[in-house]
Short mmCIF file of all heavy atoms in Angstrom, two decimals:
data_model
loop_
_atom_site.label_atom_id
_atom_site.label_comp_id
_atom_site.label_asym_id
_atom_site.label_seq_id
_atom_site.Cartn_x
_atom_site.Cartn_y
_atom_site.Cartn_z
N VAL A 93 0.53 4.09 27.33
CA VAL A 93 -0.27 3.03 27.96
C VAL A 93 -1.74 3.43 27.94
O VAL A 93 -2.09 4.61 27.86
CB VAL A 93 0.20 2.74 29.39
CG1 VAL A 93 1.62 2.22 29.39
CG2 VAL A 93 0.09 3.98 30.27
N ASN A 94 -2.62 2.45 28.05
CA ASN A 94 -4.04 2.68 27.77
C ASN A 94 -4.74 3.58 28.78
O ASN A 94 -5.76 4.18 28.46
CB ASN A 94 -4.77 1.33 27.69
CG ASN A 94 -5.88 1.35 26.64
OD1 ASN A 94 -5.85 2.17 25.73
ND2 ASN A 94 -6.84 0.46 26.78
N ASN A 95 -4.22 3.65 30.00
CA ASN A 95 -4.87 4.50 31.00
C ASN A 95 -4.14 5.83 31.21
O ASN A 95 -4.46 6.57 32.15
CB ASN A 95 -5.01 3.77 32.34
CG ASN A 95 -3.68 3.35 32.91
OD1 ASN A 95 -2.65 3.49 32.26
ND2 ASN A 95 -3.69 2.82 34.13
N ALA A 96 -3.17 6.14 30.36
CA ALA A 96 -2.40 7.38 30.53
C ALA A 96 -3.28 8.61 30.36
O ALA A 96 -3.14 9.59 31.09
CB ALA A 96 -1.24 7.42 29.54
N ALA A 97 -4.19 8.58 29.39
CA ALA A 97 -5.06 9.74 29.16
C ALA A 97 -5.94 10.00 30.38
O ALA A 97 -6.21 11.16 30.72
CB ALA A 97 -5.91 9.52 27.92
N LEU A 98 -6.39 8.92 31.03
CA LEU A 98 -7.17 9.11 32.26
C LEU A 98 -6.31 9.73 33.35
O LEU A 98 -6.79 10.55 34.14
CB LEU A 98 -7.71 7.76 32.76
CG LEU A 98 -9.11 7.37 32.29
CD1 LEU A 98 -9.57 6.12 33.01
CD2 LEU A 98 -10.11 8.49 32.49
N GLY A 99 -5.05 9.36 33.42
CA GLY A 99 -4.14 9.96 34.38
C GLY A 99 -3.98 11.44 34.14
O GLY A 99 -3.99 12.25 35.08
N GLN A 100 -3.82 11.83 32.86
CA GLN A 100 -3.72 13.25 32.52
C GLN A 100 -5.00 13.99 32.91
O GLN A 100 -4.95 15.10 33.44
CB GLN A 100 -3.44 13.41 31.03
CG GLN A 100 -2.06 12.93 30.60
CD GLN A 100 -1.88 13.01 29.10
OE1 GLN A 100 -2.53 12.28 28.35
NE2 GLN A 100 -1.00 13.89 28.66
N LEU A 101 -6.14 13.37 32.64
CA LEU A 101 -7.41 13.99 32.99
C LEU A 101 -7.56 14.15 34.49
O LEU A 101 -8.03 15.20 34.97
CB LEU A 101 -8.56 13.15 32.43
CG LEU A 101 -9.97 13.68 32.70
CD1 LEU A 101 -10.19 15.02 32.01
CD2 LEU A 101 -11.02 12.66 32.24
N SER A 102 -7.17 13.13 35.25
CA SER A 102 -7.30 13.20 36.71
C SER A 102 -6.46 14.35 37.28
O SER A 102 -6.88 15.02 38.24
CB SER A 102 -6.88 11.88 37.35
OG SER A 102 -5.49 11.65 37.22
N ILE A 103 -5.28 14.59 36.69
CA ILE A 103 -4.43 15.70 37.14
C ILE A 103 -5.08 17.04 36.82
O ILE A 103 -5.11 17.95 37.65
CB ILE A 103 -3.04 15.59 36.50
CG1 ILE A 103 -2.31 14.34 37.03
CG2 ILE A 103 -2.21 16.84 36.79
CD1 ILE A 103 -1.03 14.03 36.29
N LEU A 104 -5.63 17.16 35.60
CA LEU A 104 -6.26 18.41 35.19
C LEU A 104 -7.46 18.75 36.08
O LEU A 104 -7.69 19.90 36.42
CB LEU A 104 -6.72 18.31 33.73
CG LEU A 104 -5.62 18.37 32.67
CD1 LEU A 104 -6.19 18.04 31.30
CD2 LEU A 104 -4.97 19.74 32.65
N LEU A 105 -8.23 17.72 36.45
CA LEU A 105 -9.44 17.94 37.24
C LEU A 105 -9.18 17.88 38.74
O LEU A 105 -10.07 18.20 39.53
CB LEU A 105 -10.50 16.88 36.88
CG LEU A 105 -10.97 16.82 35.44
CD1 LEU A 105 -12.01 15.71 35.28
CD2 LEU A 105 -11.54 18.16 34.99
N ASP A 106 -7.97 17.42 39.12
CA ASP A 106 -7.69 17.15 40.52
C ASP A 106 -8.70 16.16 41.08
O ASP A 106 -9.20 16.29 42.20
CB ASP A 106 -7.69 18.45 41.35
CG ASP A 106 -7.04 18.26 42.72
OD1 ASP A 106 -6.23 17.32 42.86
OD2 ASP A 106 -7.34 19.04 43.63
N ASN A 107 -9.00 15.16 40.27
CA ASN A 107 -10.01 14.15 40.60
C ASN A 107 -9.31 12.91 41.16
O ASN A 107 -8.54 12.25 40.45
CB ASN A 107 -10.81 13.79 39.35
CG ASN A 107 -11.97 12.85 39.65
OD1 ASN A 107 -12.06 12.26 40.73
ND2 ASN A 107 -12.88 12.73 38.70
#
Side-chain angles (χ1 to χ4, degrees):
V93 297
N94 216 22
N95 60 353
L98 267 188
Q100 291 175 293
L101 180 64
S102 69
I103 294 171
L104 287 171
L105 301 180
D106 195 23
N107 186 346

